């Protein structure tokens, strides 16, 4: 989340490994606004996990936290699978720096987050 805020504010460190490339060109240029949206969504994910574990919130929000954590699991699983072209475990554009990072870091991390979110969503414990 903090890294996305850094990029949204104009930081460049690490940004060369964050967007798929096709034919030596970045497939898209994320705007500052889009990067802020991703940052906000990651922050929302943190809040959902904290709510599901009982660190924050009330019982009135239990359904929001339950559904939200299941949603996180689905979103991260979809990211791990990918679009079947430029990112995810089943991409066919390989041999780029991004593809290597995606194969060894991004997609496995998303799969792990999907599994952890599903495990949390499945649990009935509220941490109280």
């Amino acid at each position: 989340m903090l890294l996305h805020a850094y990029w949204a504010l104009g930081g460049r460190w690490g940004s060369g490994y964050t967007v798929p490339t096709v034919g030596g060109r970045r497939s898209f240029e994320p705007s500052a606004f889009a990067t802020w949206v991703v940052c906000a969504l990651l922050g929302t994910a943190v809040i959902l996990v904290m709510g599901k574990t009982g660190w924050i919130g009330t019982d009135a929000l239990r359904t929001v936290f339950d559904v939200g954590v299941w949603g996180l699991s689905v979103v991260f699983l979809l990211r791990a699978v990918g679009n079947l072209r430029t990112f995810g475990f089943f991409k066919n554009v390989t041999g780029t720096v991004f593809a290597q990072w995606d194969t060894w870091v991004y997609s496995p991390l998303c799969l792990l987050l999907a599994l952890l979110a599903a495990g949390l969503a499945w649990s009935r414990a509220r941490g109280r």
Side-chain angles (χ1 to χ4, degrees):
M1 183 172 72
L2 293 177
L3 194 53
H4 284 84
Y6 165 77
W7 289 327
L9 292 169
R12 303 302 304 158
W13 179 82
S15 64
Y17 311 111
T18 58
V19 175
T21 56
V22 179
R25 304 190 100 154
R26 289 166 67 98
S27 58
F28 66 94
E29 275 306 322
S31 68
F33 177 75
T35 307
W36 278 119
V37 169
V38 172
C39 184
L41 290 172
L42 290 170
T44 302
V46 170
I47 291 168
L48 289 171
V49 169
M50 290 175 70
K52 177 64 178 172
T53 60
W55 291 358
I56 61 170
T58 65
D59 285 337
L61 297 174
R62 177 178 286 213
T63 302
V64 172
F65 295 138
D66 289 343
V67 172
V69 172
W70 276 116
L72 286 176
S73 180
V74 170
V75 167
F76 281 117
L77 181 61
L78 290 173
R79 168 54 185 88
V81 170
N83 67 353
L84 307 180
R85 181 161 188 260
T86 57
F87 66 91
F89 284 121
F90 304 104
K91 64 186 161 295
N92 60 24
V93 175
T94 59
T96 66
V97 173
F98 173 83
Q100 289 175 337
W101 277 85
D102 187 57
T103 297
W104 296 105
V105 179
Y106 306 145
S107 292
L109 175 62
C110 287
L111 180 59
L112 175 63
L113 292 172
L115 293 172
L116 290 172
L120 180 60
W122 187 262
S123 74
R124 297 199 184 263
R126 294 273 303 156
R128 295 179 187 180

